[in-house]
Amino acid sequence: MKLMQLVSLAAVMSLSLGVNAESVPEDKISTLRQAPLNVESTPPRMQKVMNTDVKQTRNYPMQPPVIPHKIDGYQIDTKVNKCMSCHARNRTKESQAPMVSVTHYMDRQNNFLANLSPRRYFCTQCHVSQLDAKPQVENEFVDIDQLINSEAKH
């Protein structure tokens, strides 16, 4: 019985693998690439990092704040976290940087810790610097407040 199941599974897989990408016309493939895969194109210039130190509005609830300054050369590894030299709760008075959220000092059971939680230690997992770059895809995002206001008008 199991042998028949394996044989039928193998037959289905071979049929599904028989359809390859070459059967799809090139004009039907959606891609952001500017050149075919077999051509080595010149990469675009790196965009400048916005370095304004101005706090930016979040686009949606619970969005991690973006980093409003350059972080080139910041060491963030298991031994050192350069971000915490300004954003730790005991350093914000002299740095005038916002303190990291209290959630960064909580473990998985919501117990408060004396130090930064290991699961929140690597800042760039969630927080990113912003580039002064033209978006590759138009943003059609509509904030919930705009949706509520438009519904109220109608």
Side-chain angles (χ1 to χ4, degrees):
M1 182 69 175
K2 287 190 178 194
L3 180 62
M4 290 195 54
Q5 288 176 339
L6 286 174
V7 170
S8 62
L9 179 63
V12 169
M13 288 182 67
S14 66
L15 285 174
S16 65
L17 293 175
V19 178
N20 59 25
E22 291 177 315
S23 64
V24 179
E26 278 192 39
D27 61 336
K28 300 294 182 195
I29 298 174
S30 178
T31 180
L32 293 176
R33 289 186 62 86
Q34 301 299 320
L37 288 174
N38 60 352
V39 175
E40 186 70 35
S41 61
T42 304
R45 293 184 62 121
M46 291 291 291
Q47 300 294 324
K48 292 182 181 178
V49 174
M50 293 175 69
N51 197 27
T52 60
D53 272 344
V54 175
K55 191 174 184 178
Q56 295 186 12
T57 305
R58 298 185 199 190
N59 294 312
Y60 56 89
M62 304 304 288
Q63 175 192 353
V66 296
I67 303 170
H69 57 80
K70 291 183 179 182
I71 59 169
D72 299 344
Y74 275 35
Q75 183 178 351
I76 304 173
D77 56 33
T78 56
K79 297 186 185 328
V80 177
N81 183 327
K82 172 70 172 152
C83 301
M84 298 310 288
S85 64
C86 295
H87 294 279
R89 60 181 163 198
N90 61 349
R91 300 297 310 262
T92 58
K93 184 174 182 181
E94 61 264 13
S95 70
Q96 295 298 301
M99 183 185 91
V100 295
S101 169
V102 294
T103 59
H104 290 57
Y105 290 92
M106 295 167 68
D107 65 10
R108 291 175 193 237
Q109 289 76 34
N110 293 329
N111 298 316
F112 284 96
L113 307 171
N115 293 318
L116 197 62
S117 171
R119 66 190 184 117
R120 298 289 188 101
Y121 184 81
F122 296 99
C123 308
T124 53
Q125 283 184 162
C126 301
H127 304 279
V128 295
S129 295
Q130 294 297 288
L131 299 179
D132 187 17
K134 177 182 171 275
Q136 292 186 355
V137 178
E138 274 304 311
N139 183 0
E140 297 176 7
F141 176 78
V142 178
D143 185 73
I144 188 68
D145 295 330
Q146 292 173 333
L147 285 174
I148 292 170
N149 289 337
S150 66
E151 288 293 322
K153 289 179 185 177
H154 290 49

